[in-house]
Amino acid sequence: MVAKISQRAARMPPSPIRKLAPFAESAKRRGVHVYHLNIGQPDIETPAVMRDRLLGIKDRVLAYTPSGGTDKCIAAFEYYYRSIGITLRPGELLVTTGGSEACMFAFMACADPGDELLVVEPFYSNYSTFAALGDIRLAPVVSRGEDGFHLPPIETWHAALTERTRAVVICNPNNPTGTVYTRSELEMVAAFCRTHSLFLICDEVYREFSYAGGEVHSALMLPQAEPFVIVVDSVSKRYSACGIRLGCLITRNREIQAACLRMAQGRLSAPGLAQVLAEGIEHLSPDFSSTMISEFERRRDVLYEGLCSIDGVFLRKPEGAFYLMPRLPVRDSEAFCQWMLSEFEYEGATVMMAPAPGFYATPGLGRNEVRIAYVLNEHDLRKSVEVLRHGLAAYASLDDKV
Amino acid sequence: MVAKISQRAARMPPSPIRKLAPFAESAKRRGVHVYHLNIGQPDIETPAVMRDRLLGIKDRVLAYTPSGGTDKCIAAFEYYYRSIGITLRPGELLVTTGGSEACMFAFMACADPGDELLVVEPFYSNYSTFAALGDIRLAPVVSRGEDGFHLPPIETWHAALTERTRAVVICNPNNPTGTVYTRSELEMVAAFCRTHSLFLICDEVYREFSYAGGEVHSALMLPQAEPFVIVVDSVSKRYSACGIRLGCLITRNREIQAACLRMAQGRLSAPGLAQVLAEGIEHLSPDFSSTMISEFERRRDVLYEGLCSIDGVFLRKPEGAFYLMPRLPVRDSEAFCQWMLSEFEYEGATVMMAPAPGFYATPGLGRNEVRIAYVLNEHDLRKSVEVLRHGLAAYASLDDKV
């Protein structure tokens, strides 16, 4: 008898963002252009002032770096935080291998096997992977498209609470919905955490991505939230540097700091070259972010208006990040997204979207929704909307849907 | 009441390699030179042909790379494996964030919370961290200094087996002992795994580090071992590129491949710049490894002979890696190592070593042993031996040992 893989490994979900990739590949082989709206990989250039740091590396031995991050990399993150009005003390920031690792560390530090994390649904699908690694249950608190995916009222939170609840996980601005929570929403969650002795894990990797001048309130700024807040951050989106894998975990809770540092020691260091690149943060042009955000705001507007003009499509205008999650006039978004790639083309092109069920833990939810990332230029977004419009019309006329 | 950290986080051990660091820092502040024998950071240059790949990067967007690794990076690893007589098929190799991540993926893929992994003790201390993350128990199978830390007989393995045993973990060549297992030792373990339906996780990151022409047998070459072998590998030691954080996991077990790829999708990508650097593997001078290995063999000989010349020190000559674990004439190596840093100096210098108890799971073992990494040049190693000789003599004469 051959050895069996673990149950946690068997349960680990495939990525809803990447699982249709084989269909996209085969569309491309047929000569169909695929507009990639499925993955949050911005087309923005990584700033030269960061990339060019690599040319200045004089070390001939690319050695381990300190487990908590190099002094220079930590200083660069602290510089950024000061620029948004947050002063960090030594030990409060741990450099991680992307926001992904920060998230995994946070989950592991808060919850034991069988414990539960309350997570606002729909949620970033990879939270399921980190939870599965730690044998942690994600208990969903549902937000709805009709409410622009804003937080449900406190009664919903109370109903989801159990003896095993250890933390609340929110992503603000939100991936996959684009929602930016108001200060009073955040204060409601923080008060709930305080009352029930829960940690508040706040994924703020899209912190700059807020439109029409809307403010993003960091959980680090919430009054009296110090002891229980854990913030997950990353350079990926803010500086369009997804591939270097660099992020950080910030908390003022000393026990969490010490536990996460021990986890970090176990994997020795965060990527060294990425940390060198991060040193460039201190030399960025002051308008780098605002220029990028204006560009994304235009894209959001183009896409939102385009989608609203399609019969049967519903969504509220999202306030931030670069995602939106419209409801489509289909019964099964998995089947529809696959059909778009394998059966449909319009003027030689099709669109790839992420079916929404992968962003829900509750079975059956999200079946008529998709997640769209607006990481393409305006022209391509307009084209994508036309392709989707024609795709939906053609799909509606099918007798026997795949 | 403030939220409590998880039990797994509380149990997570601090690194025995790094926990004396504050004492080393304060020795340096007093002007004492510290010879670092505590950490496996080689002083060898990362090959220029790898470092220079960074200069050729033309991408202006440092984007996510495929979760399983870039085609070019996989090709570079496959090229290396062909050069040692191992042909890998597509899907068998997954690029990871260092050997650390490969190890964590392997543990998680084999074992559920409460399951056990048999691990040859003493063992690489960070296995404890990966096990703690997954709430997995490490069940030690003790190897002894008298036997040169070679594998114990099969009876010892049987005695350690329980219903919860899921895999055997071995490191060959071994960190922390420097032992290289013989083919018949490996075949014994493989047969044991086959009989009891266990996976065999083999950490081979020191594969090239074998002296006096001794051969290292990869678990990938063991006959009939295909379905249950998982190999952990890394570029860190082979190319002295510890800081870039790049490794791989290799298995012919399709279920493990699929499960580890899902875990990899959860963290999106391995570090992109590191993967570019790895492309240089195909352009290395053919004698790069042999030159480096000769250098380490000389160091081993210098250190081994030096240590044997100290009264009361015992060790068998290790066959590989760049560690050795001598028994010292002290009762408590933790206290001794700390004393060497905080109280002792000889000709303005002291040595930092890793106390052995951190490499054992069995309480009480390793209290008169230390792990020494020979990552310094010959001159510094000779100096270190003299410092240690005088340190041991001075420590022996203390009435009241700290």
Side-chain angles (χ1 to χ4, degrees), chain A residues 201-261:
Chain A
I201 301 171
C202 204
D203 174 350
E204 301 183 355
V205 307
Y206 297 96
R207 191 181 291 125
E208 274 64 32
F209 296 81
S210 174
Y211 309 125
E215 213 179 327
V216 173
H217 302 279
S218 171
L220 293 168
M221 306 272 251
L222 291 172
Q224 299 182 284
E226 292 222 344
F228 58 86
V229 166
I230 305 170
V231 162
V232 167
D233 203 354
S234 167
V235 305
S236 292
K237 315 293 171 170
R238 186 173 303 135
Y239 310 114
S240 194
C242 300
I244 68 170
R245 313 310 299 131
L246 197 75
C248 64
L249 179 148
I250 299 167
T251 182
R252 287 165 176 146
N253 183 298
R254 282 172 188 269
E255 279 192 289
I256 297 284
Q257 283 171 23
C260 291
L261 181 60

Side-chain angles (χ1 to χ4, degrees), chain B residues 53 67 78 95 121 138 173 188 191 231-232 289 296 386:
Chain B
R53 302 299 292 192
S67 297
E78 287 175 345
V95 176
E121 194 179 47
L138 293 182
M188 176 190 78
V231 163
V232 167
S289 276
F296 277 105
E386 288 321 299

Side-chain angles (χ1 to χ4, degrees), chain B residues 252-278:
Chain B
R252 288 166 174 145
N253 183 299
R254 282 172 187 269
E255 277 192 290
I256 298 285
Q257 283 170 23
C260 291
L261 181 59
R262 290 196 298 272
M263 296 182 208
Q265 287 178 338
R267 60 65 164 141
L268 304 165
S269 315
L273 298 169
Q275 293 183 76
V276 171
L277 214 124

Side-chain angles (χ1 to χ4, degrees), chain A residues 1-6 9-10, chain B residues 87-94 105-106 108-111 166-167 193-194 197-201 219-220 224-231 249-263:
Chain A
M1 200 180 69
V2 172
K4 276 213 198 77
I5 69 165
S6 65
Chain B
T87 303
L88 299 174
R89 283 159 295 190
E92 292 182 347
L93 185 146
L94 176 80
F105 282 177
M108 295 291 195
C110 295
R166 294 290 174 264
C193 288
R194 193 179 304 112
S197 302
L198 307 176
F199 288 104
L200 174 57
I201 300 171
L220 293 168
Q224 300 183 282
E226 294 222 342
F228 57 86
V229 165
I230 305 170
V231 163
L249 179 148
I250 299 168
T251 183
R252 288 166 174 145
N253 183 299
R254 282 172 187 269
E255 277 192 290
I256 298 285
Q257 283 170 23
C260 291
L261 181 59
R262 290 196 298 272
M263 296 182 208

